[in-house]
């Protein structure tokens, strides 16, 4: 895939061809300023390497700042969240499962088609439907408020 996909705020570009490689998915990712990824979990392991910028990661029941050159490894079934509180886009490399790559392709929208502002109710509904079909857990507004994320 040669273009970035918006996956509910973060943008990803697959670097592996999932049609030929089902062993893993390697992705380039960007997290624009102000983007928050609410608390969630899934059975897929994810490893994030920050190339540029600074991101806050919630894992193991606390927030940590992750800077360029640092790595965060999140085993499957661990609740985690992300936020970019800076004014700069964070650039990362992400390694995960082919299943996670498939999920991003299914929910992703080409970035040049995204209108400013929050996603439409239809887009949110599609995201939740697909996440549930993949067996992913999505935190409630109360779950997110507990860790300092306001979804309202």
């Amino acid at each position: 895939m040669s273009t970035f996909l918006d996956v509910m705020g973060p943008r990803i570009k697959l670097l592996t061809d999932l049609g030929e490689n089902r062993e893993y998915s390697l992705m380039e990712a960007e997290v624009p300023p102000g983007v928050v990824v609410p608390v969630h979990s899934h059975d897929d392991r994810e490893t994030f390497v920050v190339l540029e910028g600074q991101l806050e990661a919630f894992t193991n029941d606390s927030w940590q700042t992750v800077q360029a050159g640092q790595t965060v490894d999140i085993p499957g079934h661990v609740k985690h969240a992300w936020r970019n509180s800076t004014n700069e886009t964070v650039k990362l490399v992400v390694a995960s499962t082919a299943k996670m790559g498939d999920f991003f392709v299914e929910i992703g929208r080409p970035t040049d088609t995204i209108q400013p502002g929050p996603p439409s109710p239809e887009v949110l509904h599609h995201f939740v439907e697909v996440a549930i079909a993949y067996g992913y857990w999505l935190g409630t507004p109360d779950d997110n408020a507990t860790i300092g994320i306001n979804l309202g």
Side-chain angles (χ1 to χ4, degrees):
M1 177 169 294
S2 61
T3 62
F4 277 93
L5 296 174
D6 178 89
V7 292
M8 304 300 289
R11 300 181 293 237
I12 65 102
K13 178 168 59 171
L14 292 176
L15 301 175
T16 48
D17 181 346
L18 296 177
E20 294 181 14
N21 173 25
R22 300 301 299 170
E23 298 295 317
Y24 63 90
S25 180
L26 189 62
M27 298 163 266
E28 181 179 346
E30 297 178 345
V31 182
V35 166
V36 174
V37 177
V39 67
H40 63 285
S41 70
H42 38 73
D43 56 351
D44 311 274
R45 175 179 223 120
E46 291 179 297
T47 302
F48 300 84
V49 180
V50 177
L51 301 175
E52 293 179 23
Q54 172 180 298
L55 199 60
E56 294 174 279
F58 178 85
T59 185
N60 300 321
D61 296 324
S62 66
W63 286 98
Q64 63 178 317
T65 300
V66 187
Q67 299 188 32
Q70 295 182 310
T71 300
V72 176
D73 183 52
I74 301 173
H77 304 288
V78 170
K79 293 178 183 176
H80 58 286
W82 297 95
R83 62 185 173 203
N84 180 355
S85 301
T86 73
N87 294 322
E88 303 292 328
T89 296
V90 178
K91 296 186 179 187
L92 312 110
V93 170
V94 182
S96 190
T97 63
K99 176 184 167 190
M100 181 63 70
D102 291 338
F103 173 72
F104 287 149
V105 168
E106 194 164 342
I107 65 157
R109 300 172 293 151
T111 55
D112 60 355
T113 68
I114 305 301
Q115 299 296 314
S120 70
E122 295 82 17
V123 169
L124 287 171
H125 180 73
H126 175 70
F127 169 77
V128 170
E129 225 175 41
V130 174
I132 290 169
Y134 274 71
Y136 297 165
W137 175 82
L138 304 174
T140 65
D142 286 344
D143 294 325
N144 281 281
T146 299
I147 66 166
I149 294 176
N150 180 2
L151 297 179

